[in-house]
Amino acid sequence: KQEVTQIPAALSVPEGENLVLNCSFTDSAIYNLQWFRQDPGKGLTSLLLIQSSQREQTSGRLNASLDKSSGRSTLYIAASQPGDSATYLCAVRLSGNQFYFGTGTSLTVIP
Amino acid sequence: EAGVAQSPRYKIIEKRQSVAFWCNPISGHATLYWYQQILGQGPKLLIQFQNNGVVDDSQLPKDRFSAERLKGVDSTLKIQPAKLEDSAVYLCASSLEYRGNYEQYFGPGTRLTVT
């Protein structure tokens, strides 16, 4: 069974700092990996999707990388802002249409 | 483009009662998912539909949960009877699943409290 782990569980940083969130998975036979943002009491907003054949994806201040062989993905956030405060979740999709989410990293950016 | 719609947003029921949730996916999205998210955990897939057929329901507690997507568009998820441990946010998501586009789009969720 696929296990998805996110470290750290919580992170607090001052505004303007660059930061990295980590996601690891046990089964490297993934189809894709998706990073989401979840604000309190709301649904998930897709940030970046990386196909298994890709190494990274970028959107604005966000950069996600994927290393299938080591079972790891990172989400890099540049020049963090208070509006980035949220829970960040990664999800892996296996080729058999099975999805597994991590438990998330709760990020607080302090003004 | 309208997003995934869900209703109700909140529901409080007593244990052993029944409840139903509704989801309307993004227009044209063939695949629809229902997830259960317990506080402090990541979402867990309950059931996945491709049009009106079930692709995966391996984690759906079939003794009390049921879901349908009769016309391949809207979907309903029902719990009968509810237990205390069913308290969670129920998320609906959809994806296009066409030409490699498998990105999931989520609705706002329904927060269920069972007392």
Side-chain angles (χ1 to χ4, degrees), chain A residues 17-79:
Chain A
E17 196 163 290
N18 302 326
L19 59 100
V20 174
L21 307 180
N22 297 292
C23 172
S24 61
F25 45 94
T26 53
D27 185 345
S28 63
I30 66 170
Y31 193 83
N32 62 41
L33 184 145
Q34 196 167 358
W35 281 94
F36 294 89
R37 164 188 178 135
Q38 186 171 33
D39 293 282
K42 297 189 177 180
L44 281 65
T45 301
S46 177
L47 298 174
L48 291 164
L49 182 147
I50 309 177
Q51 301 288 2
S52 61
S53 59
Q54 297 174 322
R55 297 282 293 182
E56 66 178 332
Q57 283 284 347
T58 298
S59 176
R61 295 182 293 108
L62 306 179
N63 176 277
S65 67
L66 174 63
D67 185 343
K68 273 183 51 179
S69 60
S70 65
R72 295 176 61 184
S73 175
T74 62
L75 178 66
Y76 175 83
I77 302 177

Side-chain angles (χ1 to χ4, degrees), chain A residues 31-32 34 36 38 41-44 46 49 51 89 93 97-99 101-103, chain B residues 9 33 35 37 42-43 45 48 55-56 91 97 100 102-104 106-108 111:
Chain A
Y31 193 83
N32 62 41
Q34 196 167 358
F36 294 89
Q38 186 171 33
K42 297 189 177 180
L44 281 65
S46 177
L49 182 147
Q51 301 288 2
L89 295 149
R93 174 178 174 158
N97 290 326
Q98 297 162 308
F99 292 87
F101 277 80
T103 52
Chain B
R9 291 295 313 277
Y33 316 82
Y35 290 87
Q37 185 176 24
L45 180 67
Q48 178 185 347
V55 174
D56 182 359
L91 297 164
E97 306 276 332
Y102 300 102
E103 191 166 354
Q104 293 187 68
F106 281 77
R111 182 176 297 277

Side-chain angles (χ1 to χ4, degrees), chain B residues 1-2 6 10-11 14 18 20 23 29 33 68 72-73 75 77 79 81 84-85 89-90 92 102-103 106 110 113:
Chain B
E1 175 181 85
Q6 289 188 249
Y10 307 92
K11 190 73 176 179
E14 295 181 352
S18 62
C23 173
H29 282 197
Y33 316 82
E68 60 182 12
V73 181
S75 177
L77 176 70
I79 307 175
L84 295 177
E85 59 261 36
V89 176
Y90 290 84
C92 178
Y102 300 102
E103 191 166 354
F106 281 77
T110 296
T113 302

Side-chain angles (χ1 to χ4, degrees), chain B residues 8-108:
Chain B
R9 291 295 313 277
Y10 307 92
K11 190 73 176 179
I12 301 174
I13 62 172
E14 295 181 352
K15 60 183 179 183
R16 290 187 290 273
Q17 286 187 322
S18 62
V19 65
F21 312 128
W22 174 83
C23 173
N24 181 247
I26 293 174
S27 177
H29 282 197
T31 305
L32 185 147
Y33 316 82
W34 282 102
Y35 290 87
Q36 179 193 58
Q37 185 176 24
I38 294 172
L39 187 64
Q41 299 182 16
K44 181 183 80 171
L45 180 67
L46 293 176
I47 188 167
Q48 178 185 347
F49 292 95
Q50 180 76 16
N51 295 309
N52 61 349
V54 175
V55 174
D56 182 359
D57 63 356
S58 57
Q59 299 192 87
L60 185 73
K62 298 180 184 63
D63 58 333
R64 298 183 300 106
F65 286 64
S66 65
E68 60 182 12
R69 193 184 184 199
L70 292 177
K71 297 182 179 179
V73 181
D74 294 6
S75 177
T76 56
L77 176 70
K78 298 179 181 178
I79 307 175
Q80 181 179 12
K83 293 185 176 181
L84 295 177
E85 59 261 36
D86 298 331
S87 294
V89 176
Y90 290 84
L91 297 164
C92 178
S94 69
S95 65
L96 187 58
E97 306 276 332
Y98 178 72
R99 290 188 176 182
N101 187 341
Y102 300 102
E103 191 166 354
Q104 293 187 68
Y105 297 87
F106 281 77

